[in-house]
Every structure is written in structure tokens, then in C-alpha cells.
Amino acid sequence: SQKIEQNSEALNIQEGKTATLTCNYTNYSPAYLQWYRQDPGRGPVFLLLIRENEKEKRKERLKVTFDTTLKQSLFHITASQPADSATYLCAPAPRAGNNRKLIWGLGTSLAVNP
Amino acid sequence: DAGITQSPRHKVTETGTPVTLRCHQTENHRYMYWYRQDPGHGLRLIHYSYGVKDTDKGEVSDGYSVSRSKTEDFLLTLESATSSQTSVYFCATARGESYNEQFFGPGTRLTVL
């Protein structure tokens, strides 16, 4: 069955450092992959999308890579700030024809310490 | 903010009672989804809709039904609530373009006693 794995342990880093979060998938060939941020008590918020033919995508301090050979996506936050503390979810998406359903990872909790 | 509201935001009910959760969107998005989120399980799809009166089951649909009579409203009904349905329920929408960014509502915390 399709499986999405994200770092199960919380990630604690110092302010100003780069946070790197991992998303691995198995038995799956997603056409693209999305990353979301979720704060406690709130719904997820879309951050970035990367297509299968893109190796890297950037948005301000965020960078996502997508390695279809390794079946892995890495999510980087550079110059991290305490406000970046949240849970980050990855969601690979199937190819067209599946009513746009996403499969969700459990998320990785990030804490940025001042 | 994609203009998604959920009601009620909090509800406590008793086992065996029917419960209806409402999701309302103002963006005219084609796709709508109901998820539940539980510790250790992440977001799991209950039901989704790809148009008015067009719905289908997700991975955890047993005990739930949905209806979509208008583009803007997607109702989730727990036919006879059980304690295992205690959860946080999120509604989400998507435009339905090639790459499907989803917009989430604020969630409903449901407790079944």
C-alpha cells in the first residue's frame, strides 16, 4: 500500500539555522508533491508545490527538492525564526484522474528556539 | 483565506445521536473534502465531492454520509455517533485545476461521550 513517512521525532533548532524536514514515500509515483504548515488548533495552510519534473523550488526562505529516484522530498527553511515553529505536512498527489485526492504524511513538528 | 467556514466549531454529543457538520465556502471551488485528524493517524479522508451531487468515499467513510446540494455547502453526517468518531474534523476545498492546492477550514472539534 502507499506509504508516506516524515520525521517522526520533533525537530528542535536554534534561531538562524536551517531546518531540513524529510518526506519519503513508497509504492507510489506522485505527479507532484505539496507541503503545508499547520499551527495548533488550526487547519493546514499550503506552502509550496513541486512537480515531478522539477528538482527544486524556492519561495522566500523556503526550498523544496523532489527526488523521484530516491522517492524523497526535502523541505528547507533557511534563517529560521521562532515564528516558523509549527507542524509541517507533506502531501504527494496522484496523477490526474483520481479526483485530486492527496495522501498525507503525519507531519514533523518543528520548534525554533530563540 | 479561501472563505471556508465550518459549523459548529465545537460539539459534545452522546453515543447514538446523529450529528451534522456543515462546511460553507465562498470561492466557488469545485472540489470539497472532509477529513478527520487524530493523533498518530494524521489527516484521513472521509468523503469528498467533485461537484454538486457528485460525492465519493474516502479511506474512512464507514459511519459517515455526505451531501452537496449546492456548490458552496458540503454537509457531513454521523448517522449514529460513536466514541471512535471523537476527533477534529476539517473541511477543505480545491479549485480543481491541474495542481490541487487545498484550502482548509478552521476545523470542528467533536466529542462523543
Side-chain angles (χ1 to χ4, degrees), chain A residues 32 34 36 38 51 100, chain B residues 37 41 97 99-100 102:
Chain A
Y32 58 94
Q34 301 182 13
Y36 289 75
Q38 187 173 23
R51 303 179 182 87
R100 312 294 191 256
Chain B
Q37 188 173 39
H41 289 280
E97 297 165 346
Y99 304 111
N100 206 39
Q102 293 192 8

Side-chain angles (χ1 to χ4, degrees), chain B residues 6 8 27 29 32-33 36 82 97 105 110:
Chain B
Q6 292 184 232
E27 300 294 318
H29 287 174
M32 297 186 76
Y33 309 83
R36 60 178 291 175
T82 68
E97 297 165 346
L110 176 67

Side-chain angles (χ1 to χ4, degrees), chain A residues 31-32 34 36 38 41-46 49 51 89 98-102 104-106, chain B residues 31 33 35 37 40-43 45 48 50 90 96-102 104-106:
Chain A
Y32 58 94
Q34 301 182 13
Y36 289 75
Q38 187 173 23
R42 308 194 70 163
V45 175
F46 173 80
L49 176 151
R51 303 179 182 87
L89 308 173
N98 199 34
N99 284 314
R100 312 294 191 256
K101 291 185 292 183
L102 299 176
W104 297 85
L106 292 182
Chain B
Y31 290 85
Y33 309 83
Y35 293 95
Q37 188 173 39
H41 289 280
L43 281 164
L45 183 65
Y48 64 98
Y50 45 97
F90 287 104
E97 297 165 346
S98 297
Y99 304 111
N100 206 39
E101 170 188 354
Q102 293 192 8
F104 282 79

Side-chain angles (χ1 to χ4, degrees), chain B residues 9-51:
Chain B
R9 293 293 314 280
H10 302 271
K11 186 170 182 66
V12 179
T13 191
E14 294 189 350
T15 298
T17 60
V19 176
T20 295
L21 308 183
R22 180 181 184 237
C23 177
H24 179 77
Q25 59 132 334
T26 59
E27 300 294 318
N28 202 36
H29 287 174
R30 177 184 175 189
Y31 290 85
M32 297 186 76
Y33 309 83
W34 275 108
Y35 293 95
R36 60 178 291 175
Q37 188 173 39
D38 305 285
H41 289 280
L43 281 164
R44 292 183 290 174
L45 183 65
I46 305 171
H47 280 279
Y48 64 98
S49 169
Y50 45 97

